[in-house]
Amino acid sequence: MAKLSLFERRRRRVRTALRSRAGGKPRLSVHRTGKHIYAQIIDDAAGKTVAAASTLGVKGSGANVDAAKKVGSDIAAAAKKAGVTTVVFDRGGFLFHGRVKALADAAREGGLEF
């Protein structure tokens, strides 16, 4: 079996800790690349994506803190529309810093609780 990368080990560690604390709440999952940032709210019990937002298709946005703030506010609005108010934050293997932190702060300001 191949060794897992540091990113993959961190991702699994975070996801395992979330499962014990989730208590049936949906999960706000964040993924970032060099060009875009994505967020989705996932109901793990049903295996369905409740709401999603990203910088895809937005002209002039990309991989910066301002775009992450916009995605955070968009995901909070989509969650309210779907009737979700409380989530657990899944940062994946990404450190809670920069774009990931900006997205989380904007989602909190938009009304999501985590």
XYZ file of all heavy atoms in Angstrom:
842
model
N 0.841 -1.177 0.000
C 0.000 0.000 0.000
C 0.886 1.240 0.000
O 1.843 1.333 0.755
C -0.887 -0.021 1.246
C -1.934 1.045 1.243
S -3.111 0.734 2.550
C -3.028 2.278 3.374
N 0.578 2.175 -0.843
C 1.377 3.393 -0.946
C 1.125 4.295 0.256
O 0.031 4.310 0.829
C 1.024 4.136 -2.231
N 2.125 5.048 0.634
C 1.964 6.003 1.724
C 1.048 7.132 1.282
O 1.088 7.560 0.129
C 3.325 6.596 2.102
C 4.102 5.769 3.085
C 5.417 6.412 3.399
C 5.277 7.407 4.500
N 6.575 7.924 4.945
N 0.236 7.588 2.201
C -0.642 8.710 1.897
C 0.153 10.006 1.972
O 1.058 10.145 2.792
C -1.795 8.769 2.893
C -2.761 7.594 2.886
C -3.753 7.732 4.018
C -3.482 7.513 1.565
N -0.222 10.948 1.141
C 0.431 12.257 1.194
C 0.023 12.968 2.481
O -0.961 12.611 3.136
C 0.029 13.097 -0.011
O -1.335 13.432 0.071
N 0.768 13.974 2.837
C 0.442 14.734 4.041
C -0.940 15.359 3.928
O -1.705 15.402 4.888
C 1.490 15.819 4.285
C 2.871 15.323 4.689
C 3.841 16.487 4.790
C 2.809 14.569 5.993
N -1.275 15.846 2.738
C -2.587 16.444 2.504
C -3.682 15.412 2.737
O -4.685 15.692 3.414
C -2.664 16.992 1.081
C -4.008 17.562 0.736
C -4.325 18.855 1.086
C -4.950 16.795 0.073
C -5.565 19.385 0.788
C -6.187 17.315 -0.232
C -6.488 18.617 0.125
N -3.522 14.233 2.194
C -4.537 13.194 2.321
C -4.679 12.732 3.773
O -5.784 12.479 4.255
C -4.201 12.012 1.411
C -5.277 10.967 1.342
C -6.575 11.467 0.753
O -6.560 12.383 -0.075
O -7.642 10.929 1.136
N -3.588 12.637 4.494
C -3.645 12.270 5.912
C -4.392 13.324 6.720
O -5.228 13.005 7.569
C -2.222 12.094 6.473
C -1.564 10.812 6.011
C -0.131 10.710 6.424
N 0.071 10.948 7.841
C 1.262 11.193 8.376
N 2.339 11.243 7.618
N 1.374 11.390 9.669
N -4.113 14.601 6.427
C -4.786 15.687 7.120
C -6.281 15.677 6.790
O -7.123 15.860 7.658
C -4.138 17.012 6.705
C -4.364 18.147 7.647
C -3.471 19.342 7.364
N -3.326 19.687 5.976
C -2.158 19.744 5.320
N -1.031 19.478 5.934
N -2.113 20.081 4.054
N -6.598 15.442 5.523
C -7.989 15.402 5.079
C -8.763 14.299 5.799
O -9.875 14.514 6.282
C -8.040 15.184 3.575
C -9.415 15.178 2.989
C -9.331 15.087 1.461
N -10.561 14.566 0.952
C -10.805 13.283 0.706
N -9.882 12.381 0.913
N -11.959 12.899 0.257
N -8.188 13.114 5.887
C -8.852 12.003 6.573
C -8.995 12.266 8.067
O -10.010 11.917 8.660
C -8.072 10.710 6.352
C -8.236 10.163 4.971
C -7.606 8.821 4.836
N -7.756 8.317 3.489
C -7.392 7.113 3.109
N -6.838 6.282 3.975
N -7.566 6.730 1.868
N -7.990 12.861 8.668
C -8.036 13.174 10.093
C -9.164 14.168 10.389
O -9.925 13.991 11.339
C -6.689 13.726 10.549
C -6.596 14.000 12.027
C -5.189 14.374 12.438
N -4.722 15.573 11.764
C -3.604 15.650 11.047
N -2.835 14.600 10.865
N -3.248 16.789 10.486
N -9.284 15.202 9.559
C -10.334 16.204 9.738
C -11.704 15.573 9.548
O -12.622 15.795 10.343
C -10.134 17.382 8.753
C -11.346 18.276 8.696
C -8.907 18.166 9.138
N -11.879 14.777 8.519
C -13.165 14.156 8.222
C -13.584 13.187 9.330
O -14.744 13.133 9.714
C -13.064 13.415 6.888
C -14.332 12.865 6.326
C -15.236 13.874 5.641
N -14.606 14.808 4.762
C -14.403 14.624 3.456
N -14.760 13.504 2.879
N -13.858 15.565 2.731
N -12.628 12.447 9.902
C -12.932 11.525 10.991
C -13.384 12.281 12.230
O -14.350 11.893 12.899
C -11.699 10.665 11.329
O -11.300 9.959 10.147
C -12.000 9.674 12.422
N -12.721 13.373 12.548
C -13.105 14.178 13.705
C -14.484 14.796 13.499
O -15.267 14.908 14.451
C -12.067 15.271 13.948
N -14.805 15.185 12.272
C -16.116 15.770 11.986
C -17.242 14.773 12.191
O -18.311 15.131 12.676
C -16.174 16.285 10.551
C -15.505 17.606 10.270
C -15.677 17.963 8.811
C -16.063 18.693 11.129
N -17.005 13.539 11.801
C -18.061 12.533 11.928
C -18.486 12.360 13.378
O -19.654 12.168 13.663
C -17.582 11.190 11.381
C -17.653 11.125 9.895
C -17.532 9.697 9.396
N -17.316 9.720 7.968
C -16.173 9.426 7.378
N -15.128 9.081 8.087
N -16.065 9.486 6.072
N -17.528 12.449 14.295
C -17.869 12.265 15.706
C -18.608 13.475 16.270
O -19.383 13.354 17.203
C -16.606 11.997 16.523
O -15.754 13.125 16.499
N -18.391 14.664 15.703
C -19.004 15.886 16.222
C -20.220 16.353 15.435
O -20.901 17.276 15.858
C -17.976 17.022 16.213
C -16.921 16.863 17.250
C -16.063 18.099 17.323
N -14.673 17.672 17.339
C -13.723 18.141 16.571
N -13.976 19.093 15.717
N -12.496 17.677 16.643
N -20.474 15.766 14.297
C -21.519 16.284 13.408
C -22.910 16.195 14.028
O -23.681 17.141 13.938
C -21.485 15.560 12.077
N -23.241 15.075 14.611
C -24.556 14.936 15.229
C -25.709 15.108 14.254
O -26.721 15.700 14.603
N -25.559 14.652 13.035
C -26.632 14.743 12.055
C -26.704 16.058 11.304
O -27.588 16.247 10.476
N -25.797 16.981 11.596
C -25.798 18.266 10.889
C -25.201 18.095 9.499
O -24.319 17.261 9.293
C -24.959 19.297 11.636
C -25.480 19.667 12.985
C -24.540 20.665 13.610
C -24.690 20.700 15.107
N -23.632 21.463 15.744
N -25.617 18.900 8.541
C -24.980 18.865 7.223
C -23.555 19.409 7.302
O -23.193 20.108 8.242
C -25.848 19.770 6.360
C -26.931 20.280 7.198
C -26.752 19.787 8.580
N -22.771 19.072 6.302
C -21.354 19.428 6.282
C -21.104 20.482 5.210
O -21.539 20.333 4.072
C -20.578 18.145 5.983
C -19.129 18.260 5.784
C -18.486 16.877 5.793
N -19.085 15.927 4.873
C -18.537 15.576 3.706
N -17.404 16.102 3.314
N -19.139 14.702 2.930
N -20.405 21.568 5.590
C -19.983 22.591 4.628
C -18.575 22.228 4.197
O -17.611 22.413 4.927
C -20.012 23.981 5.259
C -19.410 25.126 4.442
C -20.085 25.253 3.085
C -19.503 26.428 5.191
N -18.465 21.675 3.007
C -17.194 21.199 2.485
C -16.570 22.245 1.569
O -17.259 22.817 0.722
C -17.422 19.902 1.701
O -16.222 19.443 1.146
N -15.272 22.488 1.738
C -14.551 23.496 0.959
C -13.444 22.822 0.172
O -12.732 21.960 0.689
C -13.957 24.581 1.884
C -13.116 25.552 1.106
C -15.056 25.304 2.617
N -13.317 23.214 -1.084
C -12.217 22.740 -1.921
C -11.647 23.946 -2.666
O -12.395 24.774 -3.172
C -12.704 21.692 -2.918
C -11.598 21.152 -3.771
N -10.661 20.264 -3.286
C -11.271 21.380 -5.046
C -9.801 19.984 -4.247
N -10.154 20.648 -5.330
N -10.335 24.031 -2.703
C -9.729 25.138 -3.431
C -8.670 24.602 -4.383
O -8.026 23.589 -4.115
C -9.139 26.177 -2.483
C -7.945 25.733 -1.710
C -7.380 26.891 -0.907
N -6.304 26.443 -0.049
C -5.045 26.278 -0.426
N -4.690 26.517 -1.671
N -4.132 25.860 0.417
N -8.546 25.291 -5.493
C -7.512 24.982 -6.468
C -6.745 26.265 -6.727
O -7.031 27.294 -6.132
C -8.125 24.452 -7.783
O -8.903 25.485 -8.376
C -8.975 23.230 -7.554
N -5.821 26.208 -7.640
C -5.062 27.397 -7.969
C -5.891 28.462 -8.663
O -5.581 29.639 -8.595
N -6.984 28.048 -9.312
C -7.798 29.001 -10.080
C -9.166 29.286 -9.470
O -9.749 30.318 -9.748
C -8.003 28.473 -11.499
C -6.762 28.476 -12.335
C -7.076 28.088 -13.758
C -5.831 28.167 -14.614
N -6.122 27.854 -16.019
N -9.712 28.361 -8.685
C -11.084 28.506 -8.196
C -11.206 28.025 -6.754
O -10.330 27.360 -6.235
C -12.057 27.716 -9.077
C -12.119 28.211 -10.475
N -12.784 29.374 -10.829
C -11.597 27.731 -11.618
C -12.665 29.564 -12.124
N -11.944 28.585 -12.632
N -12.349 28.347 -6.153
C -12.703 27.841 -4.835
C -14.153 27.381 -4.881
O -14.990 28.009 -5.542
C -12.453 28.883 -3.718
C -12.612 28.249 -2.348
C -13.317 30.103 -3.878
C -11.905 28.991 -1.243
N -14.427 26.258 -4.243
C -15.735 25.629 -4.298
C -16.219 25.375 -2.871
O -15.416 25.050 -1.997
C -15.671 24.270 -5.007
C -14.971 24.284 -6.336
C -13.589 24.170 -6.420
C -15.693 24.391 -7.515
C -12.940 24.183 -7.638
C -15.053 24.395 -8.744
C -13.668 24.289 -8.798
O -13.033 24.289 -10.010
N -17.516 25.481 -2.656
C -18.122 25.146 -1.366
C -19.441 24.443 -1.634
O -20.176 24.806 -2.553
C -18.361 26.401 -0.540
N -19.715 23.419 -0.826
C -21.003 22.757 -0.944
C -21.449 22.266 0.422
O -20.631 21.937 1.265
C -20.980 21.622 -1.959
C -19.982 20.535 -1.702
C -19.991 19.494 -2.805
O -20.884 19.468 -3.646
N -19.012 18.622 -2.795
N -22.750 22.273 0.618
C -23.335 21.761 1.846
C -23.896 20.388 1.529
O -24.730 20.238 0.628
C -24.417 22.709 2.381
C -23.769 24.042 2.734
C -25.110 22.094 3.589
C -24.708 25.093 3.216
N -23.411 19.393 2.271
C -23.718 18.002 1.981
C -24.465 17.399 3.165
O -24.015 17.519 4.309
C -22.428 17.201 1.724
C -21.630 17.848 0.607
C -22.740 15.743 1.418
C -20.200 17.394 0.527
N -25.579 16.734 2.883
C -26.289 15.961 3.892
C -25.782 14.531 3.784
O -26.175 13.785 2.887
C -27.799 16.037 3.645
C -28.597 15.299 4.697
O -27.995 14.796 5.667
O -29.828 15.233 4.553
N -24.891 14.142 4.702
C -24.258 12.823 4.614
C -25.239 11.691 4.881
O -25.068 10.590 4.361
C -23.082 12.739 5.595
C -21.893 13.555 5.116
O -21.609 13.530 3.901
O -21.249 14.223 5.947
N -26.262 11.943 5.687
C -27.242 10.896 5.968
C -27.995 10.502 4.705
O -28.231 9.319 4.453
C -28.219 11.369 7.039
N -28.359 11.486 3.903
C -29.090 11.222 2.663
C -28.148 11.054 1.470
O -28.556 10.573 0.424
C -30.070 12.352 2.385
N -26.898 11.480 1.624
C -25.948 11.394 0.519
C -26.253 12.381 -0.590
O -26.013 12.100 -1.765
N -26.786 13.543 -0.230
C -27.190 14.546 -1.218
C -26.493 15.874 -0.960
O -26.219 16.235 0.173
C -28.699 14.800 -1.132
C -29.551 13.582 -1.309
C -29.973 13.439 -2.715
C -30.925 12.251 -2.812
N -31.163 11.826 -4.115
N -26.243 16.612 -2.036
C -25.741 17.976 -1.924
C -26.945 18.906 -1.824
O -27.803 18.927 -2.696
C -24.892 18.347 -3.150
O -23.763 17.476 -3.203
C -24.412 19.781 -3.063
N -26.994 19.676 -0.731
C -28.120 20.562 -0.469
C -27.948 21.885 -1.197
O -28.887 22.415 -1.773
C -28.269 20.792 1.057
C -29.397 21.748 1.358
C -28.470 19.472 1.775
N -26.723 22.443 -1.149
C -26.447 23.735 -1.784
C -24.992 23.761 -2.215
O -24.151 23.091 -1.620
C -26.730 24.874 -0.811
N -24.703 24.554 -3.233
C -23.333 24.659 -3.728
C -23.079 26.056 -4.275
O -24.000 26.738 -4.726
C -23.073 23.625 -4.821
N -21.808 26.464 -4.205
C -21.390 27.745 -4.766
C -19.917 27.639 -5.134
O -19.165 26.890 -4.508
C -21.594 28.873 -3.761
N -19.513 28.389 -6.149
C -18.111 28.379 -6.561
C -17.811 29.622 -7.386
O -18.709 30.402 -7.696
C -17.791 27.134 -7.383
O -18.385 27.218 -8.661
N -16.539 29.774 -7.739
C -16.142 30.896 -8.585
C -16.202 30.528 -10.061
O -15.897 31.368 -10.898
C -14.707 31.344 -8.244
O -13.828 30.231 -8.385
C -14.630 31.914 -6.855
N -16.609 29.313 -10.376
C -16.737 28.908 -11.773
C -17.791 29.756 -12.463
O -18.857 30.016 -11.915
C -17.157 27.445 -11.879
C -16.084 26.406 -11.667
C -16.696 25.016 -11.764
C -14.983 26.537 -12.685
N -17.505 30.187 -13.647
C -18.473 30.940 -14.429
C -18.588 32.404 -14.056
O -19.357 33.129 -14.660
N -17.831 32.848 -13.068
C -17.865 34.255 -12.676
C -16.692 34.944 -13.354
O -15.538 34.649 -13.069
C -17.784 34.416 -11.141
C -17.810 35.875 -10.765
C -18.924 33.665 -10.476
N -16.994 35.840 -14.256
C -15.954 36.523 -15.028
C -15.122 37.421 -14.110
O -15.652 38.161 -13.293
C -16.612 37.369 -16.116
C -15.681 37.819 -17.184
C -15.389 36.696 -18.135
C -14.661 37.285 -19.336
N -14.067 36.282 -20.133
N -13.817 37.315 -14.205
C -12.924 38.186 -13.459
C -12.610 37.722 -12.054
O -11.773 38.302 -11.390
N -13.312 36.682 -11.569
C -12.974 36.190 -10.234
C -11.983 35.048 -10.386
O -11.691 34.591 -11.468
C -14.218 35.717 -9.500
O -14.652 34.492 -10.036
N -11.502 34.577 -9.300
C -10.542 33.486 -9.364
C -10.098 33.106 -7.988
O -10.895 33.061 -7.065
N -8.823 32.862 -7.865
C -8.277 32.344 -6.623
C -7.744 33.466 -5.757
O -6.543 33.624 -5.609
C -7.190 31.323 -6.935
N -8.645 34.276 -5.204
C -8.197 35.293 -4.266
C -9.176 35.393 -3.104
O -10.239 34.776 -3.114
C -8.002 36.654 -4.948
C -9.248 37.160 -5.633
O -10.355 36.821 -5.251
N -9.059 37.975 -6.650
N -8.815 36.149 -2.089
C -9.607 36.242 -0.868
C -10.959 36.881 -1.143
O -11.981 36.466 -0.579
C -8.819 37.007 0.215
C -9.667 37.269 1.432
C -7.573 36.231 0.597
N -11.016 37.878 -2.020
C -12.295 38.527 -2.334
C -13.270 37.548 -2.969
O -14.470 37.556 -2.660
C -12.071 39.723 -3.251
C -11.273 40.832 -2.581
O -11.376 40.951 -1.337
O -10.549 41.560 -3.281
N -12.781 36.701 -3.865
C -13.636 35.697 -4.504
C -14.121 34.688 -3.468
O -15.275 34.242 -3.517
C -12.870 34.991 -5.614
N -13.261 34.322 -2.520
C -13.653 33.380 -1.469
C -14.742 33.973 -0.587
O -15.674 33.275 -0.179
C -12.436 32.997 -0.636
N -14.649 35.273 -0.306
C -15.696 35.937 0.484
C -17.028 35.895 -0.258
O -18.076 35.661 0.336
C -15.310 37.381 0.779
C -14.204 37.519 1.794
C -13.850 38.974 2.001
C -12.664 39.115 2.933
N -12.231 40.513 3.076
N -16.988 36.111 -1.550
C -18.204 36.077 -2.370
C -18.825 34.682 -2.353
O -20.045 34.535 -2.217
C -17.861 36.496 -3.799
C -18.987 36.348 -4.790
C -19.761 37.635 -4.932
C -20.746 37.577 -6.073
N -21.975 36.887 -5.770
N -17.990 33.656 -2.466
C -18.495 32.279 -2.432
C -19.092 31.976 -1.056
O -20.126 31.314 -0.946
C -17.373 31.271 -2.786
C -17.820 29.841 -2.541
C -16.952 31.445 -4.230
N -18.461 32.480 0.011
C -18.992 32.278 1.356
C -20.368 32.889 1.537
O -21.274 32.265 2.102
N -20.544 34.099 1.042
C -21.864 34.730 1.155
C -22.884 34.040 0.252
O -24.054 33.902 0.624
C -21.780 36.220 0.850
O -21.304 36.435 -0.455
N -22.452 33.568 -0.915
C -23.354 32.843 -1.823
C -23.822 31.526 -1.216
O -24.997 31.165 -1.323
C -22.674 32.561 -3.165
C -22.482 33.810 -4.002
O -23.038 34.868 -3.635
O -21.764 33.721 -5.024
N -22.910 30.798 -0.573
C -23.275 29.503 0.014
C -24.209 29.711 1.204
O -25.122 28.925 1.437
C -22.041 28.649 0.380
C -22.430 27.191 0.648
C -21.295 29.177 1.563
C -22.827 26.420 -0.548
N -24.011 30.800 1.954
C -24.913 31.089 3.074
C -26.311 31.406 2.568
O -27.308 30.940 3.147
C -24.361 32.253 3.896
N -26.408 32.163 1.486
C -27.711 32.482 0.906
C -28.401 31.230 0.368
O -29.610 31.036 0.561
C -27.548 33.519 -0.197
N -27.629 30.372 -0.297
C -28.198 29.131 -0.835
C -28.644 28.201 0.291
O -29.661 27.501 0.158
C -27.175 28.440 -1.729
N -27.909 28.202 1.388
C -28.277 27.358 2.531
C -29.566 27.846 3.168
O -30.441 27.052 3.529
C -27.154 27.346 3.558
N -29.701 29.159 3.311
C -30.943 29.722 3.871
C -32.134 29.353 2.995
O -33.198 29.000 3.492
C -30.837 31.236 3.977
C -30.162 31.719 5.231
C -30.285 33.215 5.326
C -29.639 33.721 6.585
N -29.721 35.183 6.687
N -31.934 29.432 1.690
C -33.000 29.097 0.749
C -33.406 27.628 0.875
O -34.570 27.283 0.734
C -32.529 29.398 -0.673
C -33.588 29.284 -1.721
C -33.059 29.726 -3.063
C -34.122 29.603 -4.136
N -33.616 29.989 -5.447
N -32.418 26.759 1.184
C -32.682 25.329 1.340
C -33.145 24.975 2.748
O -33.456 23.820 3.026
C -31.422 24.534 0.999
N -33.147 25.962 3.658
C -33.626 25.716 5.013
C -32.570 25.195 5.968
O -32.901 24.616 7.002
N -31.301 25.404 5.651
C -30.201 24.956 6.505
C -29.644 26.163 7.254
O -29.320 27.179 6.645
C -29.089 24.295 5.668
C -27.905 23.916 6.528
C -29.624 23.078 4.934
N -29.534 26.039 8.574
C -28.968 27.143 9.364
C -27.701 26.735 10.102
O -26.846 27.568 10.347
C -29.991 27.666 10.392
O -30.390 26.583 11.238
C -31.193 28.271 9.708
N -27.574 25.453 10.471
C -26.429 24.980 11.235
C -25.693 23.903 10.446
O -26.312 22.976 9.928
C -26.891 24.392 12.583
O -27.768 25.318 13.207
C -25.712 24.137 13.487
N -24.380 24.035 10.357
C -23.544 23.071 9.638
C -22.282 22.787 10.453
O -22.015 23.448 11.446
C -23.135 23.597 8.235
C -24.322 23.775 7.336
C -22.344 24.871 8.344
N -21.530 21.787 10.012
C -20.171 21.590 10.513
C -19.227 21.938 9.370
O -19.505 21.621 8.208
C -19.917 20.158 11.037
C -20.671 19.902 12.313
C -20.260 19.121 10.007
N -18.135 22.599 9.673
C -17.214 23.092 8.646
C -16.157 22.044 8.350
O -15.414 21.627 9.233
C -16.558 24.388 9.119
C -15.750 25.066 8.047
C -16.381 25.706 6.993
C -14.372 25.063 8.098
C -15.641 26.329 5.998
C -13.629 25.685 7.112
C -14.266 26.318 6.052
N -16.093 21.617 7.103
C -15.113 20.630 6.649
C -14.104 21.339 5.755
O -14.386 21.624 4.601
C -15.824 19.514 5.885
C -14.866 18.465 5.362
O -13.681 18.484 5.741
O -15.314 17.621 4.564
N -12.941 21.632 6.313
C -11.911 22.317 5.548
C -11.108 21.351 4.690
O -10.229 21.761 3.931
C -10.983 23.081 6.488
C -10.226 22.208 7.458
C -9.361 23.032 8.390
N -8.728 22.202 9.390
C -7.587 21.549 9.223
N -6.954 21.627 8.076
N -7.089 20.811 10.181
N -11.401 20.075 4.777
C -10.656 19.076 4.018
C -9.224 19.016 4.512
O -8.967 19.081 5.699
N -8.287 18.948 3.628
C -6.883 18.934 4.000
C -6.255 20.313 3.977
O -5.052 20.458 4.159
N -7.075 21.330 3.766
C -6.573 22.696 3.654
C -6.459 23.333 5.031
O -7.281 23.094 5.900
C -7.496 23.540 2.771
C -7.712 22.953 1.411
C -8.889 22.317 1.098
C -6.721 23.013 0.450
C -9.090 21.765 -0.143
C -6.907 22.465 -0.795
C -8.090 21.838 -1.096
N -5.443 24.151 5.218
C -5.276 24.858 6.477
C -6.315 25.966 6.588
O -6.703 26.561 5.579
C -3.870 25.445 6.573
C -2.726 24.441 6.523
C -1.393 25.163 6.604
C -2.840 23.430 7.635
N -6.764 26.237 7.808
C -7.760 27.275 8.035
C -7.054 28.620 8.035
O -6.746 29.196 9.072
C -8.483 27.041 9.367
C -9.688 27.907 9.551
C -10.870 27.593 8.909
C -9.638 29.031 10.341
C -11.988 28.390 9.066
C -10.752 29.834 10.505
C -11.922 29.507 9.864
N -6.793 29.107 6.831
C -6.013 30.327 6.658
C -6.286 30.861 5.269
O -6.588 30.111 4.350
C -4.530 29.989 6.823
C -3.637 31.179 6.756
N -3.124 31.649 5.573
C -3.170 31.997 7.720
C -2.369 32.712 5.827
N -2.391 32.939 7.125
N -6.213 32.153 5.090
C -6.335 32.741 3.756
C -7.720 32.597 3.173
O -8.709 33.022 3.758
N -7.789 31.971 2.001
C -9.059 31.854 1.284
C -10.081 31.008 2.022
O -11.275 31.311 2.014
C -8.831 31.274 -0.104
C -8.129 32.233 -1.024
C -7.998 31.652 -2.399
N -6.896 30.702 -2.440
C -6.768 29.735 -3.342
N -7.664 29.593 -4.272
N -5.739 28.929 -3.322
N -9.626 29.936 2.664
C -10.545 29.065 3.392
C -11.150 29.814 4.573
O -12.349 29.753 4.825
C -9.825 27.776 3.850
C -10.726 26.919 4.706
C -9.332 26.993 2.641
N -10.333 30.566 5.290
C -10.807 31.358 6.431
C -11.750 32.471 5.963
O -12.780 32.730 6.584
C -9.636 31.966 7.187
C -10.026 32.706 8.445
C -8.790 33.198 9.170
C -9.097 33.804 10.510
N -10.023 34.917 10.460
N -11.431 33.111 4.846
C -12.283 34.172 4.311
C -13.656 33.627 3.934
O -14.688 34.264 4.204
C -11.621 34.820 3.100
N -13.693 32.452 3.330
C -14.960 31.817 2.969
C -15.765 31.506 4.228
O -16.970 31.789 4.292
C -14.693 30.534 2.178
C -15.908 29.856 1.561
C -15.516 29.223 0.238
C -16.494 28.814 2.465
N -15.118 30.960 5.248
C -15.813 30.607 6.488
C -16.371 31.852 7.180
O -17.519 31.849 7.642
C -14.862 29.868 7.417
N -15.582 32.907 7.251
C -16.034 34.134 7.903
C -17.222 34.743 7.163
O -18.181 35.203 7.785
C -14.896 35.138 7.984
C -13.806 34.721 8.957
O -14.083 33.841 9.808
O -12.680 35.247 8.862
N -17.183 34.733 5.841
C -18.289 35.286 5.047
C -19.552 34.434 5.208
O -20.662 34.975 5.258
C -17.897 35.376 3.576
N -19.400 33.118 5.321
C -20.551 32.247 5.514
C -21.177 32.509 6.886
O -22.406 32.513 7.030
C -20.143 30.794 5.384
N -20.337 32.732 7.890
C -20.856 33.064 9.230
C -21.617 34.385 9.211
O -22.681 34.500 9.806
C -19.709 33.143 10.234
C -19.231 31.793 10.702
C -18.275 31.951 11.878
N -17.736 30.672 12.262
C -16.466 30.322 12.132
N -15.594 31.169 11.641
N -16.058 29.123 12.507
N -21.041 35.369 8.529
C -21.705 36.682 8.429
C -23.035 36.560 7.678
O -23.961 37.318 7.930
C -20.805 37.682 7.731
C -19.634 38.139 8.559
C -18.637 38.992 7.771
O -18.955 39.360 6.626
O -17.562 39.253 8.316
N -23.106 35.608 6.742
C -24.322 35.404 5.972
C -25.415 34.666 6.730
O -26.518 34.499 6.217
N -25.103 34.172 7.937
C -26.139 33.538 8.744
C -25.936 32.075 9.060
O -26.711 31.505 9.826
N -24.912 31.432 8.501
C -24.651 30.039 8.842
C -23.990 29.959 10.212
O -23.141 30.785 10.548
C -23.740 29.387 7.802
C -24.392 28.891 6.530
C -23.346 28.271 5.611
C -25.468 27.875 6.819
N -24.354 28.949 10.994
C -23.756 28.747 12.297
C -22.889 27.500 12.271
O -23.337 26.426 11.915
C -24.844 28.596 13.359
C -25.685 29.821 13.545
C -26.790 29.621 14.555
O -26.684 28.696 15.380
O -27.750 30.384 14.503
N -21.626 27.671 12.667
C -20.703 26.545 12.846
C -19.569 26.950 13.725
O -19.379 28.118 14.021
C -20.212 25.963 11.523
C -19.571 26.941 10.578
C -18.208 27.152 10.599
C -20.334 27.622 9.643
C -17.611 28.020 9.704
C -19.753 28.493 8.748
C -18.397 28.710 8.777
